[in-house]
Amino acid sequence: MQVMVDDAPYISFTSNVWTSTNNLDAFLSLTGHWIDSDWSRISVLLQLQPLEGRHTGELISNHLQSMLADWNINIAKKGVLVRDNGSSMKLAARLAELDDLGCYIHTIQLVVVDALKPKVERAVGSTTAIARSIVGHFRHSTKATEALEKIQLSLTTDTTPFPQHRLIQDVPTRWNSTFYMLERLQEQKRAIGLYAQDNDIATLTPNQWNLIDKIISTLRPFEQETKNASLASATAGMIIPSIRLLLLFLESPASPGDDFEIGMMRSQMLLNLKTRYADIENSRLCVISTSLDPTTKLCFFSSDEKRELAKKWIFEEALECHTRNSSLAEVEELIRVEEVNDPGVIDNAIKPTLHDYWQQLAQGKQSTIATSLNDNIRFQIEQEIMKFFSEGLKPRPAPPAIPQDPITYWKSNSHVFPNLAAVARRFLSTPPSSVDSERLFSTAGAICTDKRSRLSASKSAMLLFNKMGLDALNFNY
């Protein structure tokens, strides 16, 4: 795996902290994400380290820097760190001198959870609480669950089958679990009503059932965007378009029959979303990633000024990529020429070091490359930018179809836009969320179980690294 990391031109990261509920051991994860020379996405677990003591920004920063050093990831390869919105993770990224991006899914979670709290709108909060109580009744009683299943069967006819589904209990750390809980409850409304006739459970009024229907309609776009952000092909380029669409949805006029409570909930979500992403169009990563997605390009920016800024940033990045690659290629060529012209002194003479060649280039002694760069490459990059943005947008499939990975386009068109493709390879490798770390900890939960309570934190980390590492290498057991 070290060879894969060494060959990666640019690596983005996700990181998160997880505490085992079994033995309270804490771990810090670091996953790496890049696009290789064949335009394949690579996502691997780089390291998992036990955390001891208070999870301060300083402690997390020290661990992050240690993990990067273990893999010999230098500053030129360091990409953006996608982290949660906790203050300690924000501080850790700054102390480790890593560009960082807040997890999009975690931010959406905060927006939705705040809107569902009783302090925002009492009717929404109380209705959700009653729904949670109803689900809890069935989740804690085998007898009640069996009775509900019998009712479901009795409602099934030859022409109209009734869904044979169990209710879903929500959890505080996942907002979409509340959406799925309410959606399943609405699906089982008839069966729950019949059960309540013969059993003493909390019930919902007709107005509350209607409110649940409106809550589901309000949350559905957020659930769809959360799923899109969880895809392996998702990039940071989806954040600006997604926010723009959600804002338009929340700003749209109320539907006929919408309750005052739903209006208050939508207003709170709108305000929260605007506040949290007020400066999103100043994020170089998100702007460039959005612009280089062939399904979005410049269409989702708020002004012509922002569109021109996007082009400017792309030009600068393309120029930097070309300069870096040309410098490395020139150094290799100088070494080759020296060996050909003076083969007899290779072993005995003191050869110039790479640093010597770098100094030659930096001091302008190899002026041919600099002149070519100034005269030709700038023009070539400008032409590529003009041609790319003059093309129409690639179609985006309607849900539930999965959006196409933008690197599919760049793989096919890298010969047409070689300079822009280099920028796309770098910026489209960054995921919009830390979901890879979350999935990692789901696997960790299967390792750190009650039956393995004496498993040390270090060995738990080793087992998980082996499991995820072998999967990444496609190892055949």
Side-chain angles (χ1 to χ4, degrees):
M1 192 181 294
Q2 181 67 62
V3 175
M4 296 170 61
V5 172
D6 291 341
D7 290 342
Y10 181 85
I11 304 176
S12 298
F13 310 99
T14 73
S15 184
N16 213 333
V17 176
W18 176 75
T19 301
S20 170
T21 57
N22 176 49
N23 52 22
L24 300 183
D25 285 335
F27 302 89
L28 176 70
S29 67
L30 184 69
T31 66
H33 309 266
W34 66 89
I35 300 172
D36 67 13
S37 57
D38 294 326
W39 289 95
S40 297
R41 287 194 181 277
I42 307 296
S43 297
V44 298
L45 169 63
L46 294 176
Q47 207 158 342
L48 187 72
Q49 286 191 357
L51 280 183
E52 296 181 357
R54 292 181 62 244
H55 302 165
T56 63
E58 292 81 0
L59 176 67
I60 295 173
S61 172
N62 290 337
H63 278 274
L64 287 174
Q65 294 181 74
S66 171
M67 290 189 281
L68 293 173
D70 287 345
W71 286 97
N72 297 320
I73 299 175
N74 57 38
I75 190 171
K77 284 191 177 184
K78 289 181 183 178
V80 174
L81 173 69
V82 183
R83 40 91 188 145
D84 65 28
N85 292 288
S87 57
S88 59
M89 289 299 294
K90 292 180 181 179
L91 177 60
R94 288 198 297 271
L95 293 176
E97 298 182 342
L98 289 168
D99 293 333
D100 60 307
L101 175 70
C103 173
Y104 182 56
I105 293 178
H106 186 236
T107 307
I108 291 295
Q109 154 102 0
L110 297 176
V111 170
V112 174
V113 169
D114 283 349
L116 292 175
K117 289 179 178 177
K119 68 177 183 180
V120 175
E121 176 43 59
R122 185 174 300 176
V124 172
S126 61
T127 298
T128 305
I130 295 173
R132 194 173 292 118
S133 174
I134 293 172
V135 175
H137 171 80
F138 291 98
R139 298 287 292 181
H140 294 93
S141 172
T142 303
K143 182 179 178 180
T145 300
E146 291 174 350
L148 184 64
E149 290 173 348
K150 290 180 181 179
I151 294 174
Q152 290 172 341
L153 288 172
S154 69
L155 293 173
T156 298
T157 64
D158 294 338
T159 57
T160 310
F162 190 84
Q164 310 295 305
H165 296 152
R166 292 193 174 188
L167 300 181
I168 299 173
Q169 183 74 67
D170 67 341
V171 293
T173 55
R174 296 181 181 177
W175 80 263
N176 53 352
S177 65
T178 302
F179 170 82
Y180 295 132
M181 178 186 73
L182 297 176
E183 189 179 48
R184 181 61 56 82
L185 205 65
Q186 185 74 294
E187 175 196 86
Q188 297 296 323
K189 178 180 177 180
R190 288 176 60 200
I192 293 170
L194 292 174
Y195 177 89
Q197 293 177 6
D198 301 321
N199 298 273
D200 183 21
I201 64 167
T203 57
L204 293 161
T205 66
N207 285 338
Q208 287 174 325
W209 279 112
N210 181 63
L211 185 59
I212 285 179
D213 186 54
K214 300 295 176 59
I215 293 173
I216 293 171
S217 298
T218 300
L219 296 183
R220 193 177 301 281
F222 289 83
E223 185 266 345
Q224 182 61 51
E225 291 307 301
T226 298
K227 289 171 66 175
N228 287 341
S230 302
L231 295 172
S233 59
T235 75
M238 71 157 290
I239 297 178
I240 291 177
S242 177
I243 293 169
R244 187 74 183 276
L245 293 175
L246 292 175
L247 289 176
L248 289 173
F249 169 74
L250 294 173
E251 290 170 343
S252 62
S255 302
D258 269 1
D259 305 272
F260 171 78
E261 296 85 355
I262 290 296
M264 290 293 294
M265 176 182 168
R266 290 168 67 103
S267 296
Q268 175 64 26
M269 295 173 74
L270 178 62
L271 176 62
N272 208 340
L273 195 61
K274 282 184 175 180
T275 301
R276 292 183 181 278
Y277 283 109
D279 296 325
I280 188 61
E281 290 189 38
N282 293 325
S283 167
R284 195 179 185 97
L285 166 68
C286 292
V287 167
I288 294 178
S289 300
T290 301
S291 303
L292 294 179
D293 187 327
T295 65
T296 57
K297 295 190 178 181
L298 303 175
C299 294
F300 289 86
F301 297 119
S302 58
S303 65
D304 289 338
E305 180 184 357
K306 295 297 184 183
R307 295 182 183 93
E308 291 304 316
L309 180 62
K311 293 180 181 179
K312 176 177 179 291
W313 282 349
I314 292 173
F315 178 85
E316 292 173 353
E317 292 294 338
L319 198 58
E320 181 182 340
C321 286
H322 188 277
T323 302
R324 186 188 307 114
N325 294 338
S326 296
S327 297
L328 292 174
E330 180 65 13
V331 168
E332 293 174 356
E333 178 63 16
L334 288 171
I335 294 174
R336 188 190 67 79
V337 170
E338 177 70 18
E339 291 176 349
V340 170
N341 293 340
D342 200 5
V345 298
I346 291 177
D347 295 328
N348 301 321
I350 299 177
K351 292 187 59 179
T353 64
L354 293 183
H355 180 71
D356 295 329
Y357 289 124
W358 182 274
Q359 291 299 317
Q360 291 180 27
L361 292 171
Q363 294 169 10
K365 294 182 179 180
Q366 300 295 325
S367 58
T368 303
I369 294 178
T371 302
S372 175
L373 181 64
N374 290 329
D375 295 342
N376 299 327
I377 297 306
R378 288 176 179 271
F379 178 76
Q380 182 181 340
I381 294 173
E382 289 172 351
Q383 292 299 305
E384 287 185 24
I385 291 175
M386 185 182 304
K387 182 177 181 179
F388 174 70
F389 288 117
S390 66
E391 291 183 352
L393 294 180
K394 298 302 177 182
R396 181 182 177 88
I402 296 175
Q404 188 180 52
D405 191 336
I407 68 170
T408 303
Y409 170 89
W410 288 106
K411 181 178 182 179
S412 302
N413 291 273
S414 58
H415 64 288
V416 181
F417 308 106
N419 293 292
L420 296 192
V423 181
R425 189 191 302 276
R426 175 178 178 179
F427 281 84
L428 295 180
S429 66
T430 306
S433 72
S434 58
V435 70
D436 286 276
S437 288
E438 298 291 343
R439 289 176 179 145
L440 165 69
F441 292 139
S442 295
T443 304
I447 292 176
C448 303
T449 63
D450 291 340
K451 293 183 178 180
R452 309 176 89 175
S453 59
R454 297 185 65 184
L455 193 65
S456 68
S458 59
K459 288 189 177 179
S460 297
M462 290 170 60
L463 286 171
L464 189 59
F465 178 79
N466 287 337
K467 168 67 172 65
M468 305 304 291
L470 291 175
D471 288 347
L473 295 174
N474 297 318
F475 182 81
N476 294 318
Y477 295 91

